[in-house]
Amino acid sequence: MTDIITTALLSLGLIFFFGVSVGLLRFPDFYTRSHAAAKGDTLSTTLLLLGLILYHFFNMELSWGSVSLCIKIFCILLFVSITSPTSSHALIDAGYESGLEPWTRDKGEDR
Amino acid sequence: MENLFIIEGVILLILMLPVLFRVVMGPTVIDRMIGVNIIGAKTTVLLILIGTLYGRLDMFVDLALTYALLNYIGSLASARFIQRRKTPEPEVIESMEMEP
């Protein structure tokens, strides 16, 4: 039972990361690419780390070392889920302030 | 369960290759920065996976935490630097310009 939950969470994380890589290759503009990158990356990292936390939570012995491991990985998950959207927003804002223009359909070229 | 982790580590590595393609080929500078951010975030997951496989998880969790912090600081510093430049246009390599 616990194996099924771990496998499902890890597979979901990989599916979302596959969406990120396809989106990075196919979108025509920097702004649309960073949509796929920021959202998909945060979600897939969160799901993968959650799967690893559950795997260690169900297979651990009750000592302080194992409990602190689960708490540490949970701290990494909190940190990534807070800071990854922040850094993506900082990058997009830097691009906008420097004057990158969005892609419109009638311009038609790949940027 | 260990086979699942090995397969997943390999798939994670293979799926990082298109992101590396975007880092190399991206027309603007910020495309490359986003690619580096993604590769850094996935490296922390890969480090914890390797720690699970080798059994020495307590060492690898500390490495993953440090790498997540460094990735964030690097992305913020680069965004701050790019904001002070002018337009990040697609670059033209100097040697490829033809003289009339």
Side-chain angles (χ1 to χ4, degrees):
Chain A
M1 179 60 190
T2 64
D3 281 352
I4 296 179
I5 296 180
T6 309
T7 312
L9 277 176
L10 290 178
S11 308
L12 266 182
L14 280 185
I15 288 175
F16 279 117
F17 190 48
F18 177 68
V20 169
S21 11
V22 168
L24 270 187
L25 287 180
R26 288 275 300 173
F27 276 129
D29 186 24
F30 154 68
Y31 292 107
T32 47
R33 278 196 283 258
S34 60
H35 263 283
K39 295 179 193 155
D41 179 42
T42 313
L43 187 62
S44 73
T45 306
T46 307
L47 284 175
L48 282 169
L49 283 176
L50 202 56
L52 284 170
I53 287 175
L54 282 182
Y55 174 72
H56 281 284
F57 183 68
F58 289 134
N59 293 356
M60 73 174 184
E61 61 270 5
L62 273 183
S63 66
W64 172 240
S66 297
V67 170
S68 75
L69 266 180
C70 292
I71 294 178
K72 269 193 215 174
I73 305 183
F74 187 68
C75 286
I76 296 179
L77 188 152
L78 276 182
F79 181 75
V80 168
S81 76
I82 288 180
T83 64
S84 177
T86 308
S87 67
S88 299
H89 175 260
L91 281 169
I92 298 175
D93 208 18
Y96 182 68
E97 297 283 332
S98 299
L100 268 182
E101 292 185 355
W103 176 83
T104 56
R105 191 180 291 270
D106 42 346
K107 286 189 191 160
E109 41 169 293
D110 219 18
R111 262 196 276 159
Chain B
M1 212 57 195
E2 180 182 303
N3 282 338
L4 174 74
F5 286 151
I6 293 179
I7 292 175
E8 178 176 330
V10 171
I11 291 182
L12 204 56
L13 199 59
I14 291 178
L15 282 180
M16 276 204 242
L17 289 181
V19 185
L20 195 62
F21 174 78
R22 184 51 72 192
V23 168
V24 167
M25 293 284 292
T28 69
V29 172
I30 312 185
D31 279 319
R32 299 188 172 105
M33 280 315 304
I34 291 219
V36 167
N37 197 14
I38 295 177
I39 291 180
K42 286 300 179 267
T43 303
T44 65
V45 175
L46 204 55
L47 274 172
I48 298 184
L49 262 179
I50 290 177
T52 312
L53 281 174
Y54 273 110
R56 303 185 57 177
L57 189 61
D58 37 2
M59 177 172 80
F60 280 97
V61 161
D62 294 337
L63 288 178
L65 186 59
T66 310
Y67 202 83
L69 284 165
L70 282 176
N71 179 37
Y72 174 58
I73 299 286
S75 281
L76 269 189
S78 305
R80 194 58 187 235
F81 170 69
I82 290 170
Q83 200 170 4
R84 314 230 168 164
R85 281 170 51 159
K86 289 257 317 160
T87 312
E89 287 166 351
E91 306 161 351
V92 176
I93 306 180
E94 293 294 322
S95 63
M96 279 167 58
E97 286 178 349
M98 309 279 287
E99 306 284 337

